[in-house]
């Protein structure tokens, strides 16, 4: 296991990032990301903590969106339906974030890439890692020039 100048395994910081994301501490995750970028300058570690930070941002954005729509709960009869619907959506998203954070904790504790869907793409874009896709297309056929000319 690779250790830093403080004698701490660098995997610890990645695991800590996912624990902070799991608990919903976006500000602490941002501070940890800043610490990792400035002090450690390790690309793997920065990518993992960045994935954890983006996971906590997604959780925060969903919570803020639900909070903005919470005045709709005061509508008679319809408010109860909206409240129930938003509660179910929030619960499902929280469950997905819980599962992703646990996967991230397990993978980074082993020293592997967390490789979480969606947030890995954000982290790759932040690092400037872009997947190049090449499309090939055959030349267009000229309908006037055919090899089957009949006399």
């Amino acid at each position: 296991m690779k250790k830093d100048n403080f004698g701490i395994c660098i995997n610890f910081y990645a695991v800590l990032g996912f624990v902070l994301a799991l608990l919903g501490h976006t500000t602490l995750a941002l501070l940890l990301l800043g610490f990792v970028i400035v002090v450690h300058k390790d690309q793997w570690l920065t990518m993992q903590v960045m994935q954890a930070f983006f996971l906590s941002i997604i959780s925060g954005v969903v919570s803020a969106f639900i909070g903005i729509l919470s005045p709709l709960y005061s509508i008679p009869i319809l408010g109860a339906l909206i409240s129930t619907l938003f509660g179910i959506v929030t619960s499902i998203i929280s469950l997905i974030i819980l599962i992703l954070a646990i996967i991230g904790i397990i993978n980074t504790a082993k020293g592997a890439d967390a490789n979480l869907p969606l947030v890995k793409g954000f982290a790759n874009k932040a690092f400037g890692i872009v997947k190049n896709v090449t499309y090939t297309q055959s030349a267009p056929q000229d309908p006037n020039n055919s090899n089957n000319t009949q006399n």
Side-chain angles (χ1 to χ4, degrees):
M1 294 241 154
K2 187 175 173 184
K3 293 190 176 193
D4 65 353
N5 296 339
F6 307 113
I8 300 173
C9 294
I10 63 169
N11 296 2
F12 169 75
Y13 297 108
V15 170
L16 179 62
F18 283 107
V19 168
L20 292 174
L22 179 65
L23 297 175
H25 295 295
T26 306
T27 306
L28 291 176
L30 178 63
L31 290 173
L32 179 65
L33 178 61
F35 173 77
V36 165
I37 290 172
V38 171
V39 174
H40 291 293
K41 298 177 178 110
D42 183 56
Q43 184 176 358
W44 177 85
L45 179 60
T46 304
M47 287 282 286
Q48 305 319 304
V49 176
M50 198 174 287
Q51 287 183 48
F53 173 66
F54 287 140
L55 188 64
S56 68
I57 281 185
I58 290 172
S59 173
V61 166
V62 169
S63 297
F65 182 72
I66 298 295
I68 289 171
L69 297 176
S70 66
L72 296 175
Y73 298 167
S74 62
I75 300 173
I77 300 173
L78 187 60
L81 179 65
I82 292 171
S83 173
T84 304
L85 179 67
F86 285 162
I88 292 170
V89 169
T90 304
S91 299
I92 290 171
I93 291 173
S94 296
L95 180 65
I96 291 170
I97 289 174
L98 171 74
I99 291 169
L100 290 176
I102 289 173
I103 291 170
I105 289 170
I106 291 170
N107 287 344
T108 55
K110 293 178 183 177
D113 186 15
N115 202 18
L116 300 178
L118 186 65
V119 293
K120 174 145 176 120
F122 290 150
N124 284 341
K125 287 180 183 176
F127 262 96
I129 301 172
V130 180
K131 185 178 178 182
N132 290 332
V133 178
T134 307
Y135 295 101
T136 58
Q137 182 176 355
S138 62
Q141 299 292 328
D142 186 12
N144 296 332
N145 184 12
S146 74
N147 291 337
N148 285 338
T149 53
Q150 297 178 355
N151 292 332

